[in-house]
Amino acid sequence: MRHDFEPDAEISLEPVDSVVVTTLMDNLTDVFMPDQGPARRPGLGTGPMRPAPVMAEGQVPDSLLAEHGFSVLVTVAKAGREHRFLFDAGVSPDGVTENMRRLDVDPGSIEAIVCSHGHFDHTTGLDGLLRVLGRANLPVLIHPHFWRRRRILLPGREPFELPTTSRRALTEAGFDIIEERQPSFLFDRSVLITGEVPRTTGYEPGFPPQQAWAGGSWEPDPLVLDDQALIVSVAGRGLVVITGCGHAGVVNIARYARRLTGGEPLYALLGGFHLNGPLFEPLIPLVLDELAEMNPGVLVPAHCTGWRAQHAMSARFPAAFVPNSVGTSFHL
């Protein structure tokens, strides 16, 4: 299932024939968003119906749910075989499993779960998944800092302690918890999990308002060292890199993905890039300049990227930029 590596080792990632990334949860749903490039949208009127006595026909489409959280289903195909796994699980207990039902995704087909980091907007949906699956017996891949007790401290506001995932709840449910700081593989070297991402740009700050409970007191914890990403190499195209929030810095993540794989080209970059709000919006021009040098063919900012960054990306990369929405499948 997995292998460990030296921090600076180049890794032999096996190319896959294709990868499909289906958005199970994001901040936006839009039934009028058209297909675009690799993106296939579910569209208006697809999926199941639900009772609605106030309507003359007695029913309406069972619409997909959006929330401030993130989750994607990743399916990799190689040599006639497919593997399917979950990357993050959204912010509500049942949002992701409800969207799975609406999209006709079988939760039992999931072979593994990877958590980008420990923040609750990426992990709470594990609760609903457990109730659907029963005893799970699935590997869950995390960084050791995943369990940290954390809070957000913003000027002029009371500290907000973030809900923390229960180790006991996951282990009692039968999950096989795998904690790694270093890169590791899934599915015969078809999927690479970055582990801890080196911070090399010098300007991507992590998450400065964050503190962690350590040694009996609250201490600064801006780096979010548990932030990790996924890498898949698509034969003849290059790397597909998927981020959760991108607290490590989307440029740091993309650079590290290329470094780990010997400089493979960046084909697609999808996920949360955390460029929202006054702390991060000044970084947008620097980030876009760095991304331009890596020249991604597909760019899908999601979740915590922020509207200013998304607009800037759409203007800077008109051919590569694809907006995301819940239910979209990217065929890469």
Side-chain angles (χ1 to χ4, degrees):
M1 175 68 72
R2 59 192 177 93
H3 305 271
D4 299 328
F5 305 94
E6 294 300 318
D8 295 317
E10 184 179 313
I11 290 171
S12 177
L13 179 61
E14 293 287 334
V16 302
D17 299 324
S18 65
V19 57
V20 179
V21 181
T22 300
T23 304
L24 298 178
M25 187 56 68
D26 198 0
N27 297 36
L28 172 72
T29 179
D30 185 345
V31 298
F32 295 115
M33 196 173 284
D35 291 351
Q36 179 184 345
R40 302 289 179 268
R41 320 287 189 182
L44 180 64
T46 59
M49 305 292 285
R50 67 182 300 170
V54 73
M55 308 306 294
E57 298 80 7
Q59 59 182 5
V60 293
D62 200 0
S63 299
L64 292 166
L65 307 174
E67 60 190 23
H68 183 84
F70 189 68
S71 176
V72 292
L73 182 73
V74 183
T75 305
V76 295
K78 181 170 70 173
R81 295 189 62 193
E82 285 190 350
H83 291 288
R84 179 177 280 188
F85 63 100
L86 190 69
F87 182 64
D88 286 347
V91 72
S92 68
D94 298 305
V96 164
T97 51
E98 280 296 299
N99 282 342
M100 284 183 179
R101 180 181 62 79
R102 290 161 168 82
L103 294 168
D104 197 25
V105 171
D106 177 12
S109 68
I110 295 169
E111 298 173 64
I113 300 169
V114 181
C115 293
S116 64
H117 62 303
H119 288 167
F120 72 102
D121 51 330
H122 298 254
T123 67
T124 310
L126 294 173
D127 180 80
L129 194 63
L130 285 173
R131 281 185 276 106
V132 169
L133 292 176
R135 189 162 181 83
N137 297 317
L138 288 175
V140 179
L141 288 84
I142 61 171
H143 183 283
H145 283 196
F146 176 88
W147 310 108
R148 279 194 161 188
R149 181 183 168 193
R150 285 162 162 162
R151 71 178 188 179
I152 306 303
L153 186 61
L154 296 172
R157 299 187 184 183
E158 289 295 313
F160 171 65
E161 185 166 347
L162 303 177
T164 305
T165 305
S166 166
R167 184 195 295 265
R168 179 179 176 181
L170 296 192
T171 54
E172 288 182 350
F175 281 137
D176 178 15
I177 307 298
I178 301 169
E179 299 185 20
E180 296 285 357
R181 293 178 183 270
Q182 304 302 333
S184 58
F185 280 132
L186 282 173
F187 311 127
D188 300 321
R189 294 179 172 262
S190 296
V191 176
L192 178 60
I193 300 142
T194 63
E196 200 167 299
V197 176
R199 314 304 168 92
T200 60
T201 61
Y203 63 81
E204 292 176 295
F207 194 34
Q210 179 171 272
Q211 296 181 330
W213 183 258
S217 63
W218 291 104
E219 304 288 345
D221 184 33
L223 292 183
V224 199
L225 291 178
D226 49 323
D227 188 82
Q228 56 185 4
L230 287 177
I231 310 169
V232 181
S233 175
V234 180
R237 293 187 172 182
L239 301 178
V240 174
V241 179
I242 307 174
T243 68
C245 266
H247 288 300
V250 65
V251 174
N252 284 328
I253 292 167
R255 279 183 179 178
Y256 189 48
R258 299 194 67 217
R259 191 180 101 195
L260 284 172
T261 57
E264 277 200 54
L266 181 62
Y267 165 43
L269 183 60
L270 307 87
F273 301 162
H274 216 289
L275 292 168
N276 199 6
L279 279 175
F280 299 95
E281 287 172 357
L283 306 180
I284 293 171
L286 290 170
V287 169
L288 267 56
D289 285 347
E290 298 265 20
L291 291 179
E293 291 185 10
M294 288 183 270
N295 193 30
V298 179
L299 186 61
V300 185
H303 183 42
C304 55
T305 304
W307 70 269
R308 291 185 190 277
Q310 295 214 26
H311 280 263
M313 289 177 188
S314 69
R316 182 73 177 268
F317 306 105
F321 175 84
V322 184
N324 195 27
S325 65
V326 176
T328 299
S329 288
F330 297 90
H331 295 252
L332 302 164

